[in-house]
Amino acid sequence: VFPGVSKTVAVTGATAGRYDVTGATSAPVQLTFSLPANLAAAANLLPIGTWTGNHNTTLLPTGISFTPSAAPANAALSATGQLFVFIGATVTPAVNQPAGVYSAPVQMTVVYF
């Protein structure tokens, strides 16, 4: 990431976030996320502009697209009880963004319905 240049991590990229879910076979579930507005390095913040996601019953970063958020996204586990969820985002550093290692927690909740 370079100061002043937006950077996107695509859900199909090697550095995308990935969640592996296992549970009851073919069960419908809802996915919700607690997402940070910024990445942080000490007191420095790096704004996250948008989030993208998709889920699939095979370990491929393609599938059904959705926007990760606190609003539920419906999905279903496979016949073997698996679901794979991939997320990406876009960050927009300021032109004077300090260098550093930026991070923030992302929480996904899965609920049977």
Side-chain angles (χ1 to χ4, degrees):
V1 176
F2 296 100
V5 180
S6 294
K7 171 69 174 171
T8 298
V9 173
V11 294
T12 56
T15 58
R18 185 181 109 193
Y19 295 89
D20 297 0
V21 180
T22 57
T25 60
S26 304
V29 295
Q30 290 184 323
L31 312 172
T32 58
F33 290 83
S34 176
L35 301 168
N38 299 287
L39 299 177
N44 300 311
L45 299 178
L46 175 56
I48 301 171
T50 58
W51 290 91
T52 57
N54 66 41
H55 57 81
N56 199 338
T57 56
T58 61
L59 187 53
L60 296 173
T62 58
I64 298 171
S65 296
F66 70 99
T67 301
S69 72
N74 294 336
L77 302 181
S78 70
T80 59
Q82 295 180 304
L83 180 68
F84 302 94
V85 180
F86 301 87
I87 63 169
T90 300
V91 294
T92 308
V95 294
N96 61 345
Q97 189 77 43
V101 176
Y102 289 77
S103 64
V106 173
Q107 179 180 338
M108 182 179 80
T109 302
V110 181
V111 177
Y112 290 101
F113 73 97

